Amino acid sequence: MDLVDLMYKYINKFINAPKLLEELKLVKLENYDKEEQDQIKNLVKEVENITKTIPNEIDEVEIQRKEQAERLALSLKKALEKSDLEPKTEEKLKKQYNSLLKEKEKTKDGGKLYKTLFILLTQNDLVNKYTSSMNDSKLLKFITKYIYVPFPPVLTQEEFNNLVDTGIKENKKESLWRLAFNYNRKNKDFSKIEDYFIEVRDDYYLIELVCAVKEDLNLNKLAKKVIDTNDKDFISKCVSYAKKVGIIGDKDLENLGLSEYIN
């Protein structure tokens, strides 16, 4: 798992080439058999050679990443300025805001250096061997260690739904929210996640889901599901929280048939 985690961290730009090389050299070889140890040693040599011969550069992707982080940080800052946030909501938003600020200042790899190491790591036989060995529970835990990565594992809708079923079975609401966020704008159907949050009457995670993947949700259908619960307390909490975080205005609520639940 060390190798899989390092690959995932690098391709999603949580670490740069120097850190990748440093961490690869710290991999405990005694945890692998002789053939695998040789493969790891060869991988270290390849990464070392690449980092010595290919300079890093700030490319368009990195520029866009910094701009996006700036926009998200500004949005979270505005949300935090609201005085009526619940303590757990405020704590979560602060954590996300501080994380974004730190992420924005990190030095990331770009250009040819990043592309070369990306191919090397994602096409490495040993890395792929351990990637494919994970069951649904381990894969869900692996993916949801991070939030909104550009390169999550490629999954079919069926494979995605299997992870959702695992999260529901293990009652991992935060993991389900993170799973959806990681696959935002990647042609995934999040119906099973929204249905679960509605079934357990969790207004917090349902509205956080809307915040994270609003573009991938059918808000009209979602609003109807919420209304069909006939649970006025739950509906009112959903409406109230949606307004607090600023994702839906009074006009939107009216269009969605939720205006009567505005406090």
Side-chain angles (χ1 to χ4, degrees), residues 45-186:
K45 288 179 182 178
E46 289 181 277
V47 172
E48 203 162 28
N49 181 59
I50 290 170
T51 56
K52 285 181 179 178
T53 57
I54 303 177
N56 190 18
E57 60 182 281
I58 298 177
D59 55 16
E60 186 61 32
V61 174
E62 182 59 10
I63 293 172
Q64 290 178 1
R65 181 193 70 83
K66 285 183 175 291
E67 290 177 347
Q68 183 183 45
E70 183 68 35
R71 288 194 299 270
L72 287 173
L74 180 61
S75 176
L76 287 172
K77 184 179 179 181
K78 289 181 179 179
L80 282 167
E81 289 171 352
K82 297 180 181 296
S83 60
D84 55 351
L85 290 174
E86 294 180 0
K88 70 174 183 178
T89 303
E90 184 176 5
E91 182 182 355
K92 183 180 179 66
L93 292 178
K94 280 183 178 179
K95 187 176 180 180
Q96 292 175 351
Y97 177 70
N98 291 328
S99 177
L100 273 172
L101 291 182
K102 290 180 181 178
E103 192 66 22
K104 190 180 65 168
E105 298 305 318
K106 287 182 179 179
T107 299
K108 309 280 187 173
D109 289 352
K112 186 178 179 181
L113 173 64
Y114 173 73
K115 292 176 182 176
T116 304
L117 287 173
F118 183 103
I119 293 171
L120 175 69
L121 294 169
T122 56
Q123 295 184 4
N124 182 272
D125 291 340
L126 188 57
V127 172
N128 289 331
K129 171 187 173 182
Y130 282 98
T131 301
S132 61
S133 70
M134 287 188 281
N135 59 30
D136 286 339
S137 185
K138 288 182 179 179
L139 184 57
L140 177 65
K141 184 177 180 181
F142 176 78
I143 293 172
T144 57
K145 284 170 65 177
Y146 311 101
I147 299 177
Y148 198 42
V149 299
F151 296 108
V154 177
L155 299 174
T156 63
Q157 184 65 50
E158 181 180 1
E159 290 169 333
F160 181 85
N161 286 343
N162 288 340
L163 295 185
V164 174
D165 288 337
T166 298
I168 292 174
K169 182 179 179 181
E170 298 177 358
N171 192 32
K172 292 184 174 178
K173 297 176 184 177
E174 174 72 14
S175 295
L176 290 170
W177 176 79
R178 286 171 173 248
L179 181 67
F181 206 171
N182 276 306
Y183 287 90
N184 185 32
R185 308 308 292 270
K186 289 181 170 58

Side-chain angles (χ1 to χ4, degrees), residues 11-42:
I11 68 172
N12 287 300
K13 298 195 174 187
F14 291 109
I15 58 175
N16 55 19
K19 185 63 175 178
L20 170 65
L21 184 58
E22 176 188 334
E23 293 294 327
L24 279 172
K25 289 180 177 180
L26 293 175
V27 171
K28 295 180 179 179
L29 295 178
E30 62 268 24
N31 293 335
Y32 300 86
D33 63 34
K34 180 62 171 63
E35 183 181 350
E36 291 175 338
Q37 289 180 19
D38 290 338
Q39 289 177 281
I40 294 170
K41 290 175 182 177
N42 287 334

Side-chain angles (χ1 to χ4, degrees), residues 148 152 155-157 160-161 164 168 175-198 205-206 208-218 222 225:
Y148 198 42
L155 299 174
T156 63
Q157 184 65 50
F160 181 85
N161 286 343
V164 174
I168 292 174
S175 295
L176 290 170
W177 176 79
R178 286 171 173 248
L179 181 67
F181 206 171
N182 276 306
Y183 287 90
N184 185 32
R185 308 308 292 270
K186 289 181 170 58
N187 298 314
K188 289 293 179 286
D189 182 355
F190 301 127
S191 297
K192 296 190 77 170
I193 298 177
E194 64 184 41
D195 289 347
Y196 173 66
F197 290 155
I198 292 172
Y205 273 110
L206 181 62
E208 283 294 310
L209 181 70
V210 177
C211 290
V213 297
K214 185 177 180 180
E215 305 91 341
D216 287 325
L217 302 178
N218 185 319
L222 178 56
K225 289 179 185 179

